Amino acid sequence: MKTKQLTQYLNQLLNSNNINDYCPNGLQVEGKPEIGKIITGVTASERLIDAAIEHQADAILVHHGYFWKGESQVITGLKKNRLAKLLKHDINLLAYHLPIDVHSDLGNNAVLANLLGITNVVPVESVKPKGVLMQGKLSTPMSIDQFGQLVNSKLQREPLINAVNNELVSTIAWCTGGGQGYIDVAAELGVDVFLTGEASEQTIHSSREFGIHFVAAGHHATERYGVKSVGEHLANEFGLDVQFVDIHNPV
């Protein structure tokens, strides 16, 4: 498949041109003009690039790419090392940040809901882009400890939990990755529990004072599944050789 053709398809599939983001979405580093083998992963780290080189991949598709707003523009240090390897081996780098978070079927939030058995899934309309913050119901009411065990079993990572009472939980809001700032909005929705990837110091105070359970299940752990799902879609749609590589990250 031509690199240009794949980029155009992904831009349309993920609606990237209509989402205001903190980085450029789409083709970030140009490599070979034709793509047959793709490595997918959460972040375009040097380890993921090394894996792509080892597997003789033509492209890397990630959720966390490069060129973030506010970062230094000089090409030194780890940025130089990463770009040098991509350019030397003529590997394309495609990255989609918020578009992979919010896609209604393939996105991080959508796939996490499926993993955890969340039903009645709807986006919180007041938060843009649509789909960044979601709400729904657990398939079965359970204690917050039982919910923590469910998260642990599905994501293979023990979550940080701030419990506020002993009542069963049935309603939930969530935002994968670094979405802890949405806890105030989640509390206003009246849900029982808010799930995200990370926690800040003030998040626990909000949890206690609003009376909403808080679960931080890991930025990496909650965002493995969107880019993996997009890669699987490409393999099914176009017959491309796509392999997800999970570079462990405890955060």
Side-chain angles (χ1 to χ4, degrees):
M1 189 175 190
K2 299 294 185 182
T3 299
K4 183 177 180 180
Q5 180 188 2
L6 178 62
T7 303
Q8 290 174 339
Y9 178 82
L10 285 171
N11 289 348
Q12 182 176 7
L13 174 71
L14 299 172
N15 194 32
S16 60
N17 292 331
N18 295 317
I19 295 176
N20 188 26
D21 211 334
Y22 314 104
C23 59
N25 288 301
L27 183 63
Q28 291 190 339
V29 178
E30 186 176 2
K32 299 179 181 74
E34 193 158 327
I35 295 172
K37 171 73 176 183
I38 302 174
I39 291 294
T40 62
V42 177
T43 299
S45 65
E46 190 171 8
R47 286 190 180 184
L48 188 68
I49 295 169
D50 288 341
I53 294 168
E54 180 182 348
H55 288 91
Q56 298 182 320
D58 307 304
I60 299 172
L61 172 64
V62 295
H63 177 47
H64 299 139
Y66 302 155
F67 314 117
W68 299 89
K69 290 180 181 178
E71 75 174 21
S72 174
Q73 297 180 29
V74 300
I75 309 299
T76 59
L78 63 85
K79 186 186 291 186
K80 179 257 184 183
N81 294 338
R82 292 171 175 180
L83 290 173
K85 288 188 177 183
L86 289 171
L87 295 171
K88 178 180 178 180
H89 294 275
D90 212 15
I91 298 173
N92 295 280
L93 175 65
L94 296 117
Y96 295 88
H97 182 231
L98 290 178
I100 280 185
D101 284 321
V102 305
H103 192 277
S104 59
D105 297 315
L106 305 174
N108 285 320
N109 281 332
V111 183
L112 184 62
N114 291 335
L115 275 174
L116 298 179
I118 300 171
T119 62
N120 294 24
V121 174
V122 294
V124 177
E125 296 289 344
S126 62
V127 177
K128 304 299 179 186
K130 181 180 177 181
V132 166
L133 181 64
M134 305 290 287
Q135 63 178 323
K137 292 185 177 180
L138 301 180
S139 56
T140 304
M142 62 188 73
S143 70
I144 189 63
D145 287 341
Q146 289 172 325
F147 180 68
Q149 292 168 10
L150 173 66
V151 170
N152 192 356
S153 66
K154 295 297 184 180
L155 303 188
Q156 298 89 50
R157 182 191 185 277
E158 184 175 354
L160 181 153
I161 299 175
N162 189 71
V164 296
N165 58 50
N166 295 320
E167 299 175 5
L168 296 181
V169 298
S170 60
T171 57
I172 181 171
W174 70 98
C175 171
T176 64
Q180 62 268 46
Y182 291 121
I183 189 170
D184 295 358
V185 180
E188 291 175 3
L189 297 171
V191 298
D192 301 320
V193 58
F194 175 58
L195 168 69
T196 188
E198 298 183 18
S200 297
E201 190 272 345
Q202 64 267 28
T203 315
I204 303 304
H205 297 296
S206 293
S207 171
R208 292 168 179 166
E209 294 171 36
F210 280 122
I212 181 174
H213 298 294
F214 173 71
V215 179
H219 195 134
H220 178 84
T222 58
E223 296 201 325
R224 287 191 195 105
Y225 305 100
V227 71
K228 183 174 185 289
S229 182
V230 173
E232 290 168 352
H233 171 84
L234 294 176
N236 292 332
E237 193 74 14
F238 300 108
L240 295 168
D241 181 2
V242 182
Q243 181 177 347
F244 176 72
V245 176
D246 188 15
I247 305 297
H248 176 69
N249 189 329
V251 172

